[in-house]
Amino acid sequence: MPLTVAPTVFPAITASSAIEYWTDAWQRSVLFWDVMRERGNGYLEHKKSGKPPVLAFDYKIIVDARTFDRPTNYALVAIIPPADCAPTDPTQRPFVVIDPRAGHGPGIGGFKMDSEIGIALKQGHPCYFVMFFPEPMPGQTIERVTQTEKVFLDTVNELHPKASSKPFIIGNCQGGWALMMLAAQVPDSVGPILLAGSPISYWAGVEGKNPMRYAGGLLGGTWATSFAGDLGNGKFDGAYLVNNFEKLNPANTYWKKPYGLYADVDNRSEQFLEFERWWGGHFMLNKEEMEWITQKLFVGNRLSTGEIINDEDHVRVDLRNIRSPIIVFASWGDNITPPQQALNWIPDLYKNAQEIRENEQTIVYCLHDTVGHLGIFVSSAVANREHTEIACALDLIDVLPPGLYQAVITDTYPDMPGLKYTDNRYVIRFEERDVADILALGDGRESEHAFELVRHVSQINQTMYDNFVSPLVKLFSNEHSAAFFHNLNSARLERLMFSDSNPVLKAMRPIAAAIRSRREPAAPDNPWVQAEKQASTAIETALDSYRDARDAHSEKMFKAIYESPVFAAMVNFKHHDVQNAKSLYDSHHQENLRVKRAKREDWFHKGSPETGFLRILIYVAIGTGVIDERPFNGIKRLMQEIGLDKSVSLVQLKEIIKRQTFLVRLDEERALASLEVLLPESHQRHQALDLARKLLALGGPISAEKEGRLSRLTKVLGLDVSTVPVAVAPA
C-alpha cells in the first residue's frame, strides 16, 4: 500500500494580512518599549520613596528594630484589613509572615489579595508581617536579626493574650531557614510553622536536574561573596542574587517574559509592571551577613547537622528542639528550592519515623506537582488551595501525634462520607510516612559527599582571600566606587536606561498614547501572527537547549573536580559520612530522650474521665489509619453537644487529643487496658461508649471495621453488650 500524507492546509497569505500584521507589530513594539519606560520610571519612584513593601494591604509599624540598642533594619507591621474584609478577631490565632531577604524587598507574601496574608484576613485572623528596609544597620549580623525576630514574636504574643492558639508563622524561601533557627531557640513561643519553598538541606538535589547547587563549588567556595562585599565597601548587593536567579532559566529571562509582554501588550502591561516593582527592588546586606549565609548554610550546610552556635548567646541551634508542628511546602516545579533541599534535613536528623516520634516532633510535608518557586508565594491557585487548606487545618495539625506525615488535598464529592464536617471544597488528610519515603523522592545521597570537599576547599580559599586579597580590595573601595559597581549591574542599568532619564524613551510617551487611541490589533488567525508564535517557540526551545547543555557541562566539571580522589589528596581531605555527624546524637540529646521515655510511662494511666472519653473517641474515629479533618471536626462538634468544651479549653483539648492519639498509636494494647483506670465508674464507661457510637453515627452507617473496634472496647471496659445503647445516625 503506498504511503499517503495528508496535505497541510496553510492560511492564505495576502497583502491585506501582511499590512494588518506589520501595522500591529509596529504598534506593539512602540507600546512594549513604552511599558519598559514605565517600568524604569516605577523603579526610580520606588527607590525615591524608600522602597516600601509591595504589599497589597495597608499596614502600621508596630516595632521598628532600627531603634534598638543593637539595631537591625527590620520592622514588625500589623496588616490593616481592607474595607471588604470583616474585622479581625484578636482571640483568633495570629498569623505572622516572614518574607525572604534574598536580594529583593519584602511583600511577596502579601502581593495579592489571594495570598498568604489575604487568606489569613479572610478567615478573621490578626495578621503581622516582618518587613525590612533597603540598607542594613552598621554591625548587623544574622544572629542579631534572630534576636530581633524573637522580640517581634514576644510582641505578637503580648498583643494577643487571649488568643486561642500560639501564632502560626510562615517563612517564605530564605525566611524559612530564619524561622527554623528562631523556632529552635524559642520553642515555647511559636505555634505551627510553615516553610514555603525554603532551602534547609543545601547539598541535596537530583543529578541532572538541580544545577544551582554546583555554583559554589565551581567558584571555589565563598570567597567570591566576600569579594563582592569588599567591592561594595562592606555591603553585599542583592542584585547579584537576582542575577543568579535569572541565569537559571535564560529562556524565560531573555525571551519568554519580554515576548509574553510584547505579544499581549494590550492586556499584560499592568500585571507586568506590578511584578517588576518587586522584582526590581534590590536590597543590601552587610558583608558579614552574606558571609554567614554562604559559609554556614549554602556551602557549609551546617544548619541541619546542629553545627551552628549562636554567637549572641552561645546556644547551639538544634532543629530537634522545635516543639510545634513543622509544615514543609515544596514543589517539583521549583528549580531554586527542589523538594530534596526542602526535605532532606529530615534524614539528616533522623534515621526513621520512630526517632521522630521518640523526639516528640511533628513534621508534615505537602508537594505540588508543577508550580514554580515564586508561584508558591504568588500563585492565586496555590493560595486558594494549598495555603487555604493548611490554614483551615491548623487546629488539626496542632493535635497530630508526633511523627512524619504527607498532607494530601483532594476534591470533595456529593456523597462523600462526613461531607458536612468539611468547610471548603477540598478535604485535607495526613498520611503517615517514614524517612525512607523522603529519601525515595531523590536518587540517593551519594552525590552529596562531594560537597564536603567543596566545603573544605572553600575554607582554604576563604582563608587565602581574607589574608592576602581582601586588604587590597578594601584599600581601594569607598562609597563612590561601591555606587559605581552597583549602578553597573545589569538589573539596575537596564531600568535606568529604559526610563524618562533617557531622552529617546521619554519622547516615546506621546507616540504610545496616540497608538493606544488608534490601536489596530491583528486577528489571532492571521498567518503572520501564527508564524511569529512558531518563531517564538523555536527561540525558546533553542534557549532551553543551551541551558540544558550548560547545566550538563557544569555538572560534569563539578564531578570531575570534586569526585576526584587525586584532587582530594592534593588538598589533604578525607571523606566522612554526612549521616553520622557527631552533633546529631550527642549525649545531651540522648539524655533528653531518656527523660521523655520515663515521663511517657505515666501518661497511659494518668488523666481525668474526660481524658478517657477522648481516648475512646480517638480510638474509634482515627485508629491507626489516615487522619483527616472530618473525624477531628466531628469530635469538636460532639464535645460542644455534651458541653465538654465548657470545662476543657480549646488549648487543653488540643493537648489532650494530641497526647491520647500519640498513646493509641504508640501502644494500642496499653492505651486500651488503662482505660479502666481513667474511667473507674460503670456509668462513665457506658457514657464513653455511647459517645463513641454517636461519633461514628454522625458520618453515616458504621462500618464492620468500626463495629469491631466498638466490640473490642466493650470487652476492654467489661460491659455487657446488651446494656450498651445503640446510637442512630441523625437525619
Side-chain angles (χ1 to χ4, degrees), residues 136 140 223 225-237 284-295 462 465-466 470-471 474:
Q140 180 173 313
W223 70 270
T225 300
S226 300
F227 178 58
D230 287 336
L231 286 178
N233 198 35
K235 294 179 182 177
F236 183 89
D237 186 0
M284 300 288 179
L285 295 91
N286 277 341
K287 173 191 172 185
E288 292 78 12
E289 291 181 283
M290 200 62 205
E291 284 182 330
W292 190 99
I293 293 171
T294 54
Q295 292 174 18
Q462 186 69 49
Y465 175 84
D466 290 342
S470 181
K474 290 179 179 178

Side-chain angles (χ1 to χ4, degrees), residues 497-522:
M497 291 177 62
F498 299 112
S499 68
D500 281 349
S501 59
N502 183 337
V504 176
L505 268 294
K506 187 174 184 179
M508 190 170 287
R509 182 174 183 177
I511 301 175
I515 287 176
R516 288 189 181 95
S517 65
R518 298 179 179 87
R519 184 76 173 96
E520 298 179 16

